[in-house]
Amino acid sequence: MKMSDGRRIYSVSHLNKYVKSLLERDELLMDIWLRGEISNFKRHSSGHLYFTMKDSEGAVSAVMFASDARRLQFYPENGKMVKVRGSISLFEKTGAYQIYVRQMEQEGTGDLYLAFEQLKKKLEAQGLFDPAHRKKIPFFPSRVGIVTSPTGAAIRDIVMIAKRRFPGVSLVLYPALVQGRDAAPDIVRGLRTLDARADVDVIIVGRGGGSIEDLWAFNEEIVAGAIYACKTPVISAVGHETDQTIADFVSDMRASTPSAAAELAVPDVRELLGSLDHLGARMNGSARRNVHLYAGRLSLLKEKLERYSPQRKLADTVQTLDLLRDRMDRSMEKCFLDRKTSLYRMSDRLKLCSPLYPLEKGYALIMDDCGGVVTDSAKIHPGDELRIRMKDAALDTIVKTKTEVLSND
């Protein structure tokens, strides 16, 4: 907003947007690595990570979104020295600039991370991660094989959860090294031994959490090859939820923790019984609904049968015939009356046109001796024989005299 005296006034939000655009256009700040110590670490329920990167002379706020945090190979915590990669921007609501972290490494683990990425690309190109190769985990395993340390927390969690969920399941442990130089060959021997047993339905391979160095045995190529070669379905259970190893990508199913692996491998009897009860209730309810439904349909069909039955049709036809007969009788009666009336009228008209009609009023009809009607007096002469026709008689006469009668006109 420009004032009358020439000053330009900006809103706070406008300033923050402007500074943010400056930071995000800077090429150095678009992709930058920082080294520092984590402090004020907080993992939000959404999975986002919020913390501060600091050194002896300064600090900067940092945020790592859940989609990137899921790829971490270790647990970030206060006091850890890390290297982070991301971009610098400004959070407009507070006006504070911060780094948006896309990648995080523990100090000194860069070479291991690079080796992990290279092996991952190699095995992916060879088809070891192809979903089409994954085998289905059996729903009711009678025996579960486990390749892990016999003394770690992982085996205790697996046994406790498996027995709690399905007390009848049998567990077979191959005690293996899960850390150190000899761990990978020992894990391979365990996988091959359990896979060779016909009575093992599924294999869990894994260990508890740790640093990338602690979990490295599960990033070895020989372990990946052994998992891929197994005919028995394999569930990987390495570390914590955020830990990822090559074994996770090759196995038929990945569990976030050893406890989760036991839940995936063994069904919960209580849930099954609850599901059976629920299904039974649904089945009974469905049966009742079907009975009501089909009873209603049967009633409708019965009504239709009665409506379209021959007896019903015959009764309707008889009623229709009665109605038509009544209509025909009325029509014929009306027609007869109309014709009778017309006949009377024609009779009256014929009567009026009859030459005998004037005789009814006292007039007479004069005819000559040949029977012709005489209408002109000039044709009558004295001595002519005439017949006079009256209403109720005929008179034969002889004309004696003829007298001219003058017209009234």
Side-chain angles (χ1 to χ4, degrees), residues 37-320:
E37 179 185 337
I38 295 177
S39 65
N40 301 320
F41 179 80
K42 179 183 178 182
R43 183 186 295 273
H44 196 271
S45 58
S46 62
H48 304 328
L49 308 182
Y50 298 93
F51 54 97
T52 300
M53 291 282 292
K54 68 176 185 177
D55 59 19
S56 59
E57 297 181 0
V60 62
S61 296
V63 58
M64 189 175 197
F65 294 125
S67 57
D68 296 311
R70 282 194 289 268
R71 295 197 298 269
L72 286 175
Q73 301 298 312
F74 67 98
Y75 265 122
E77 56 186 2
N78 291 331
K80 276 194 174 181
M81 290 296 296
V82 294
K83 293 180 291 193
V84 298
R85 183 184 185 183
S87 59
I88 306 296
S89 187
L90 181 130
F91 187 51
E92 294 182 33
K93 287 190 176 181
T94 62
Y97 88 92
Q98 57 190 6
I99 180 169
Y100 290 84
V101 178
R102 298 189 300 271
Q103 183 179 337
M104 182 187 298
E105 295 178 1
Q106 293 187 84
E107 186 71 11
T109 61
D111 293 340
L112 289 178
Y113 180 78
L114 181 60
F116 172 86
E117 288 296 325
Q118 288 175 343
L119 180 59
K120 180 182 173 184
K121 290 179 180 178
K122 174 185 174 181
L123 298 181
E124 186 174 16
Q126 293 176 357
L128 269 68
F129 303 162
D130 188 353
H133 183 265
R134 291 174 186 160
K135 296 172 286 296
K136 188 176 180 180
I137 307 300
F139 185 71
F140 267 113
S142 59
R143 183 167 279 107
V144 178
I146 306 166
V147 180
T148 191
S149 169
T151 59
I155 186 60
R156 291 195 299 271
D157 292 343
I158 292 172
V159 171
M160 179 183 68
I161 291 175
K163 290 297 183 180
R164 184 188 69 202
R165 289 172 64 85
F166 191 34
V169 71
S170 175
L171 304 177
V172 180
L173 172 66
Y174 182 93
L177 297 172
V178 293
Q179 184 175 333
R181 179 178 300 178
D182 298 326
D186 205 17
I187 293 170
V188 170
R189 283 191 291 271
L191 288 167
R192 291 173 178 170
T193 299
L194 293 179
D195 187 47
R197 293 183 56 159
D199 59 344
V200 173
D201 300 312
V202 62
I203 300 171
I204 297 174
V205 58
R207 56 156 290 162
S211 65
I212 191 171
E213 293 91 349
D214 296 338
L215 307 180
W216 194 253
F218 296 91
N219 290 323
E220 294 285 358
E221 186 171 359
I222 59 170
V223 173
I227 294 174
Y228 186 79
C230 279
K231 296 180 177 61
T232 309
V234 177
I235 300 175
S236 67
V238 182
H240 299 290
E241 185 173 356
T242 56
D243 295 325
Q244 274 193 331
T245 63
I246 296 296
D248 295 329
F249 296 106
V250 186
S251 60
D252 299 296
M253 182 175 287
R254 185 234 175 194
S256 56
T257 63
S259 299
E263 292 177 355
L264 293 172
V266 178
D268 192 331
V269 173
R270 291 169 299 179
E271 289 182 3
L272 292 176
L273 293 175
S275 297
L276 287 175
D277 291 340
H278 178 65
L279 289 173
R282 285 181 59 187
M283 184 176 66
N284 290 334
S286 178
R288 285 193 295 270
R289 285 192 298 273
N290 284 335
V291 168
H292 291 311
L293 174 64
Y294 290 116
R297 288 183 179 178
L298 182 61
S299 178
L300 289 174
L301 290 173
K302 185 178 179 182
E303 290 178 6
K304 280 187 176 181
L305 183 62
E306 291 176 355
R307 188 163 61 248
Y308 295 111
S309 67
Q311 292 86 351
R312 181 70 174 270
K313 281 195 170 185
L314 182 60
D316 291 344
T317 303
V318 170
Q319 185 176 359
T320 302

Side-chain angles (χ1 to χ4, degrees), residues 359-386:
L359 303 184
E360 299 288 336
K361 296 184 177 183
Y363 294 99
L365 184 64
I366 301 172
M367 295 179 288
D368 57 22
D369 56 356
C370 294
V373 177
V374 179
T375 59
D376 187 358
S377 61
K379 296 179 178 181
I380 300 173
H381 303 283
D384 291 343
E385 292 181 3
L386 300 175

